[in-house]
Amino acid sequence: LRRRYRPVPDLPPEPDLKKRYDVVIIGGGGHGLATAYYLATVHGIRDVAVLEKGYLAGGNTARNTAIIRSNYLTPEGVAFYDESVRLFQGLSEEFDFNILYSERGHLTLAHTDAAIRTARWRAEVNKHLGVASEVIYPDEIARLAPNLNLSRDVRHPVLGALYHEPGAIARHDAVAWGYATGAARRGVSILQKTEVTGIVKDGDRAIGVETNRGRIEAGQIVQQVAGASTLLADMAGFRLPIRTVPLQACVSLPVKPFLDPIIVSGSLHVYISQTPRGELVMGGASDPYPLYGTRSTLDFKEGLMANMLELFPFLAEMKILRQWAGMTDMSPDFSPIMGETPIRNYWLDSGWGTWGFKATPVVGKRMAETVATGTVPELIRPFRLARFDDIELLGDKGAASVGH
Ligand code: FAD
């Protein structure tokens, strides 16, 4: 048991950089590492380099609020995230490393009749696809979250909620470490402080990358850089319908556990969960301006707390321990963009905005399948870049945790 729950995985030492790899993955976040892991484990493709400009999982993978769920609005989204939740449930066993996966139940509060209607809509789509989701009312909400303020005498009284029992949290950076260790042990090269500065092409085919450590040739390239998606696409020579905006979050000092479910309020633009260590993890809406920066602001904290105190008034004296931001790649329809690009041998995984941590396992599995077979699997085909030309958008804004 002691060996199983060791705190740090045994990541093999970083290998020397080679001049060529069968597959080059740009971005050493959870998505890139998971793709490398499944390429090696499922498809036996091990001549793979993951190039990370900073340090392992130093981007959004370790900056998110770790919420995992599949209660989306579009059938395509629900089926996709459901596969991810199922993969997440087995990851600690698969890695032989504890990712602290904790199933809590997820409550999306409804404060208006319109929000109740959307909750019902989501519940019906979810149930149709076998995902546990139902609309519940204040007596049941009080049973699940006895500390939540359910008074009618507030600005936005809680009328009901969408309850999603499989909603969970996990230790986000542990997910990246698990994938990294599993991939590296099978021969994948994970190269930190290696920044891609250009894409080398022969006509409409990508054949390699320029980096701060020199040119690297590649059989195939996968772009998995979250907030830097449009910058890399620009290097490759195509455009993405993506805006990069900061998203902030914060965590309190640890206190005695009192909150089991994850609570989200779209109307109040806040969400909160409590980690196994007792910290309250809190977030809200995106910053209202595009920016390549991870600066946190007083404005965010003040706005968040004003609304948070309506749900949990007794938190007024709670101390904030840390506040931070990540750069999120927002797509117009709040769905990811994956698969083919106008450049041959150059695959895309982007548009993860504020919702991509929960997708880490399914992205890894399905992007690896895409690269290995050269064919985009049915599960992710609806998320293709070409949907914006075909006007076949996948509107999932109604299932975003808060307004963005
Ligand atoms: P990243 O982890 O950002 O990895 C991309 C990597 O690419 C980075 O490490 C970066 O350094 C690297 N890179 C960039 N440019 C280059 C280059 N030129 N060369 C080499 N490397 C490069 N999602 C959820 O599902 N649930 C949540 O609760 C949630 N909460 C969030 C809260 C916040 C505050 C933020 C910021 C995001 C949240 N998200 C959430 C979204 C989620 O974090 C991301 O969608 C997800 O982590 C994206 O994973 P990734 O591996 O693609 O990106």
Side-chain angles (χ1 to χ4, degrees):
L1 196 69
R2 277 175 59 196
R3 204 186 70 76
R4 175 179 219 86
Y5 293 119
R6 64 197 184 281
V8 179
D10 309 317
L11 192 64
E14 200 161 301
D16 291 336
L17 178 69
K18 294 197 304 175
K19 289 208 172 313
R20 186 193 183 282
Y21 297 89
D22 286 346
V23 181
V24 162
I25 292 172
I26 311 171
H31 286 206
L33 294 165
T35 303
Y37 174 86
Y38 291 109
L39 275 171
T41 54
V42 177
H43 304 282
I45 298 176
R46 299 178 176 200
D47 186 28
V48 178
V50 180
L51 309 182
E52 167 53 49
K53 77 171 178 187
Y55 57 92
L56 201 64
N60 286 354
T61 295
R63 292 165 188 271
N64 65 72
T65 41
I67 297 172
I68 298 160
R69 61 186 175 93
S70 57
N71 58 349
Y72 275 74
L73 186 60
T74 63
E76 294 84 351
V78 176
F80 175 76
Y81 293 107
D82 183 44
E83 181 166 300
S84 211
V85 170
R86 289 171 200 275
L87 286 166
F88 255 120
Q89 288 165 348
L91 273 194
S92 290
E93 285 295 319
E94 184 165 346
F95 292 159
D96 191 17
F97 175 63
N98 192 358
I99 63 159
L100 299 182
Y101 190 83
S102 176
E103 207 168 282
R104 300 295 188 81
H106 183 279
L107 286 172
T108 311
L109 304 180
H111 304 265
T112 61
D113 289 345
I116 291 275
R117 194 169 64 91
T118 309
R120 280 217 191 93
W121 178 2
R122 275 169 75 182
E124 291 311 313
V125 174
N126 291 180
K127 281 188 276 192
H128 186 67
L129 291 162
V131 168
S133 215
E134 58 182 314
V135 178
I136 59 171
Y137 295 94
D139 51 344
E140 180 69 3
I141 299 172
R143 199 184 60 75
L144 292 165
N147 297 294
L148 183 66
N149 183 10
L150 291 170
S151 164
R152 305 284 299 183
D153 193 20
V154 289
R155 229 177 2 138
H156 298 292
V158 176
L159 304 183
L162 180 68
Y163 177 51
H164 176 51
E165 199 176 354
I169 52 174
R171 171 87 195 240
H172 41 19
D173 37 12
V175 174
W177 299 335
Y179 278 124
T181 307
R185 281 198 195 135
R186 290 167 177 87
V188 167
S189 298
I190 299 170
L191 302 155
Q192 302 178 73
K193 296 186 187 151
T194 308
E195 178 170 5
V196 171
T197 53
I199 308 299
V200 186
K201 292 196 293 188
D202 179 9
D204 68 349
R205 204 160 60 97
I207 56 168
V209 292
E210 299 286 2
T211 77
N212 58 339
R213 299 171 65 186
R215 179 175 288 199
I216 304 170
E217 290 172 25
Q220 302 195 65
I221 300 171
V222 193
Q223 175 189 313
Q224 302 185 283
V225 294
S229 291
T230 53
L231 302 179
L232 264 293
D234 195 41
M235 289 180 204
F238 63 96
R239 293 193 68 194
L240 288 176
I242 282 176
R243 289 164 68 241
T244 292
V245 297
L247 179 68
Q248 304 190 46
C250 61
V251 66
S252 75
L253 285 173
V255 289
K256 185 179 171 190
F258 70 88
L259 182 64
D260 195 36
I262 304 153
I263 308 278
V264 178
S265 167
S267 304
L268 292 172
H269 299 291
V270 294
Y271 60 92
I272 180 169
S273 69
Q274 190 168 24
T275 70
R277 278 208 317 201
E279 299 144 330
L280 298 171
V281 180
M282 295 170 275
S286 312
D287 288 350
Y289 39 77
L291 184 73
Y292 290 104
T294 52
R295 205 181 63 153
S296 42
T297 63
L298 179 62
D299 187 49
F300 161 77
K301 198 162 47 189
E302 284 184 342
L304 181 77
M305 293 313 156
N307 287 330
M308 190 65 80
L309 294 185
E310 195 161 316
L311 299 178
F312 296 100
F314 60 91
L315 292 183
E317 298 299 318
M318 180 66 75
K319 297 280 180 271
I320 295 298
L321 184 67
R322 275 186 304 121
Q323 186 188 350
W324 67 91
M327 295 184 300
T328 56
D329 46 330
M330 305 295 286
S331 63
D333 58 0
F334 283 62
S335 284
I337 308 176
M338 289 181 280
E340 285 150 342
T341 70
I343 313 299
R344 283 199 288 144
N345 295 349
Y346 193 90
W347 303 101
L348 179 67
D349 166 36
S350 71
W352 285 108
T354 64
W355 50 87
F357 170 66
K358 68 180 68 65
T360 305
V362 69
V363 164
K365 183 178 164 195
R366 296 304 185 164
M367 287 305 296
E369 184 182 342
T370 302
V371 173
T373 62
T375 307
V376 179
E378 280 304 317
L379 192 70
I380 65 171
R381 188 176 291 281
F383 303 103
R384 67 197 187 284
L385 175 58
R387 75 176 183 271
F388 297 100
D389 293 325
D390 306 341
I391 324 279
E392 286 182 345
L393 274 64
L394 291 167
D396 244 323
K397 185 166 185 175
S401 287
V402 293
H404 291 293

